[in-house]
Amino acid sequence: NQRQEAVTAEQGYMDFIDRMEHPKKHIQTGYGQLDRFMFIDKGDFIVIGGRPSAGKTAFTLQMMLHMAQDRRVGYFSLETSVPKIFDRLISNYDWTSFTKIKKAQLGDEDWEAVTRGYNTFHTLGFEVVPAAGWTVDKIKSYAEIRQYEIVFVDYLTLIHAEGKDDTERTTHISEDLHTFAQQDGVTVIALSQLNRDGGDRLSMTSLRQSGQIEQDADGIVLIQYDSEMPDVRQIKIVKNKEGLIGDIHASFDGDHQRFILQDSSEVPEDEIPA
């Protein structure tokens, strides 16, 4: 790593003017409403949390498909097999019925959509990496070799780490992912499970072994899910160092593994956290 030098008042001020005149392009998630409030950058550590069936994997796979249009992305799957990941990706990308895919019952129109989709799908800059039992160091080393700009980890607490209990292991994982993101300038987006007894109203403390994650993450997004309304989601931005916090209404099309974020939002547009 290069040594960091002190910056004078004049240098910092002139750098600020240059950045305002030549604004950098933040990393877009593909969810327009989310991108209005989160300004994701290189070196950020973002956590996506949700209970089982909330759609964490589908949410991040759709995000990855957008990011991979112009960036190199690695999706490290520690739980779901690679073929199952691609079933979801192709259902989303080609608008093909996930039910038909799982039953291997594609009709002529489905095959036409899959054939057309390949023309652009194969140009996307992502790789799905089977990573069951991997450590953060192994993920980091592989990402460096493959020169990923963005890394997804599905999911955080399945990473192998030393520690006397789950809390200590999660603390080490969170610290190591945060350090990896900062030192390598890689955007790390990690999925996380939520506590089962956290109540209906999700918050940062809903994250399993949440203490260190709350401290390390630059942004935390939680997906609220109610089994009585299976198509409805709330995307809750509960921590955001470089933007706004609040709720975004969403729907989930399970048969195409696709999230649709609504324009209406409860995010206060004039409130930026310190």
Side-chain angles (χ1 to χ4, degrees), residues 39-205:
F39 306 105
I40 299 175
D41 203 356
K42 295 187 298 182
D44 283 351
F45 174 39
I46 307 296
V47 174
I48 310 291
R51 294 201 171 97
S53 300
K56 299 184 297 297
T57 299
F59 186 80
T60 52
L61 288 176
Q62 185 171 332
M63 189 184 297
M64 180 188 73
L65 285 171
H66 181 83
M67 292 175 170
Q69 293 177 28
D70 58 5
R71 299 179 187 272
R72 283 192 55 78
V73 186
Y75 197 98
F76 291 81
S77 180
L78 287 89
E79 183 178 46
T80 307
S81 70
V82 172
K84 288 182 178 180
I85 292 289
F86 273 92
D87 285 350
R88 297 183 184 199
L89 286 169
I90 292 169
S91 174
N92 178 294
Y93 194 80
D94 296 335
W95 287 90
T96 303
S97 168
F98 189 60
T99 302
K100 288 184 179 180
I101 288 174
K102 298 313 292 180
K103 293 181 177 181
Q105 294 178 347
L106 301 187
D108 291 343
E109 291 185 2
D110 302 314
W111 278 114
E112 288 178 10
V114 169
T115 302
R116 286 195 306 270
Y118 175 78
N119 294 329
T120 50
F121 188 91
H122 83 279
T123 67
L124 297 174
F126 76 85
E127 296 175 336
V128 178
V129 185
W134 283 26
T135 63
V136 173
D137 281 344
K138 189 169 182 179
I139 292 172
K140 171 181 164 69
S141 297
Y142 195 90
E144 289 172 344
I145 292 169
R146 303 300 294 167
Q147 298 182 320
Y148 297 142
E149 300 169 77
I150 301 168
V151 163
F152 287 85
V153 179
D154 185 8
Y155 53 88
L156 183 151
T157 50
L158 287 180
I159 295 175
H160 180 73
E162 300 297 327
K164 65 179 184 294
D165 54 30
D166 287 345
T167 298
E168 188 171 297
R169 284 189 288 274
T170 301
T171 295
H172 291 322
I173 293 166
S174 178
E175 289 174 337
D176 290 347
L177 287 175
H178 180 241
T179 300
F180 165 37
Q182 287 198 326
Q183 288 185 346
D184 284 41
V186 171
T187 304
V188 175
I189 303 172
L191 286 70
S192 178
Q193 295 281 29
L194 302 185
N195 297 319
R196 294 184 182 276
D197 57 352
D200 294 332
R201 186 67 179 174
L202 302 184
S203 66
M204 279 191 285
T205 58

